[in-house]
Amino acid sequence: MTRILVLGGTTEAMKLAATLSDWGVDAVFSYAGRTNNPTMPALPVRMGGFGGVPGLVQYLRDEGITHVVDATHPFAAQMSNNAVVACEEAGVELCALERGPWRNKPGDSWSHVEDMAGAVEALPESPRRIFLAIGRQYLSDFAGKPQHFYLLRLVDAPEGDLPLPNAVAVQARGPFTEAGDKALLQEHKIDLIVAKNSGGVGARAKLDAARELGIPVILIDRPHIPTRPIMRTVTDVMDWLDHALSDEVGA
Ligand code: NAP
């Protein structure tokens, strides 16, 4: 029998969960458990890491998983790498549900860097007012450039002191709007943005606002993940699952 594991953490994963639930598909949804009060999907949920590749292989076997849909964030490279290796080892089918990267539009002023270290290096020496739109995980990488003011946007309020001496954290959960992000950039007199090339609609608002205001952006490229079939929409995932589900759904 088909049993699906959805690796979540994105809007796309939530949409897929809703569709799988509507279709009455046997599926379980996995969260890393990083944020307080995560939005609950329309599927049974498990929380927390699997324990690397061996833990995931064990989980796939114990739970009788036949298909994994990796709908994690494009920057969640460790989980995605683990999924490729574990599915191969366990003989489980895998696809990714992944939004395309952002492409620049006329008027955008983007410079591309390979990774977080590249973004730190690309910062100017003279003090600037920077919107550091990278989440909370890699903030300490920027501690070596303390001369800048950093605006942070975090899902949860930071626990303890921020690793940056001159920073303000606003607490907010996407999706965001261009008007809202324009107001945020103006309020904090931001003159440079550092962001990951996450793709998607809600997180793009800051880039559209930046174009409007003539603010340059340092955009971090996506990490490398081994080849796997990539689906851009929930419909594509359902088509990918079709051969397995056709005998079961509605039966
Ligand atoms: P990561 O570095 O790729 O993963 C680190 C470890 O966290 C994994 O090895 C795994 O632990 C555990 N993990 C990650 N996603 C999981 C999931 N969906 N279910 C169970 N365990 C999971 O991941 P990350 O970048 O920290 O992201 C963590 C979560 O936040 C992901 O679900 C991702 O979709 C979401 N997210 C990430 C970003 C981002 O920019 N990185 C942005 C928005 C949302 P074990 O090795 O123990 O299995």
Side-chain angles (χ1 to χ4, degrees):
M1 288 291 281
T2 304
R3 181 160 160 77
I4 293 153
L5 171 65
V6 178
L7 300 172
T10 57
T11 318
E12 292 77 11
M14 299 300 282
K15 287 184 187 158
L16 175 63
T19 303
L20 290 170
S21 170
D22 284 350
W23 283 49
V25 178
D26 183 15
V28 58
F29 189 99
S30 177
Y31 263 135
R34 295 282 165 77
T35 55
N36 303 329
N37 307 316
T39 315
M40 280 299 153
L43 289 175
V45 172
R46 67 161 301 285
M47 285 273 186
F50 297 94
V53 171
L56 182 53
V57 170
Q58 193 63 47
Y59 178 87
L60 297 174
R61 290 187 175 140
D62 290 349
E63 291 291 318
I65 301 294
T66 56
H67 296 72
V68 173
V69 182
D70 176 3
T72 57
H73 190 272
F75 279 73
Q78 185 65 57
M79 185 70 256
S80 295
N81 275 291
N82 289 357
V84 170
V85 180
C87 287
E88 171 86 33
E89 203 173 317
V92 166
E93 290 197 57
L94 167 73
C95 81
L97 172 56
E98 190 186 88
R99 42 179 115 144
W102 290 315
R103 310 270 175 218
N104 63 333
K105 296 181 184 171
D108 282 325
S109 170
W110 297 357
S111 49
H112 296 265
V113 294
E114 253 182 43
D115 52 21
M116 214 52 79
V120 176
E121 210 177 308
L123 294 187
E125 287 309 317
S126 56
R128 303 287 289 271
R129 296 186 63 84
I130 299 172
F131 179 21
L132 195 51
I134 58 164
R136 68 180 160 165
Q137 223 175 328
Y138 296 99
L139 294 179
S140 54
D141 292 20
F142 291 81
K145 296 270 175 105
Q147 66 270 45
H148 304 297
F149 163 81
Y150 294 102
L151 170 66
L152 316 173
R153 178 157 63 189
L154 306 174
V155 175
D156 294 317
E159 289 164 14
D161 291 341
L162 291 165
L164 304 166
N166 187 13
V168 165
V170 296
Q171 208 184 328
R173 193 190 291 264
F176 302 104
T177 63
E178 185 181 334
D181 277 4
K182 194 173 162 190
L184 182 76
L185 296 173
Q186 286 176 317
E187 183 192 340
H188 293 275
K189 299 185 172 50
I190 296 302
D191 55 22
L192 181 63
I193 296 176
V194 176
K196 296 178 286 193
N197 195 341
S198 301
V201 179
R204 162 118 209 167
K206 58 182 172 285
L207 303 179
D208 294 332
R211 185 177 54 249
E212 275 267 304
L213 297 171
I215 298 173
V217 178
I218 295 172
L219 204 57
I220 303 167
D221 290 343
R222 293 177 172 199
H224 170 76
I225 293 163
T227 310
R228 65 252 155 98
I230 293 185
M231 309 296 144
R232 290 291 186 218
T233 66
V234 169
T235 307
D236 291 344
V237 175
M238 297 313 287
D239 287 347
W240 178 75
L241 290 169
D242 190 49
H243 66 284
L245 294 177
S246 52
D247 294 338
E248 297 171 24
V249 174

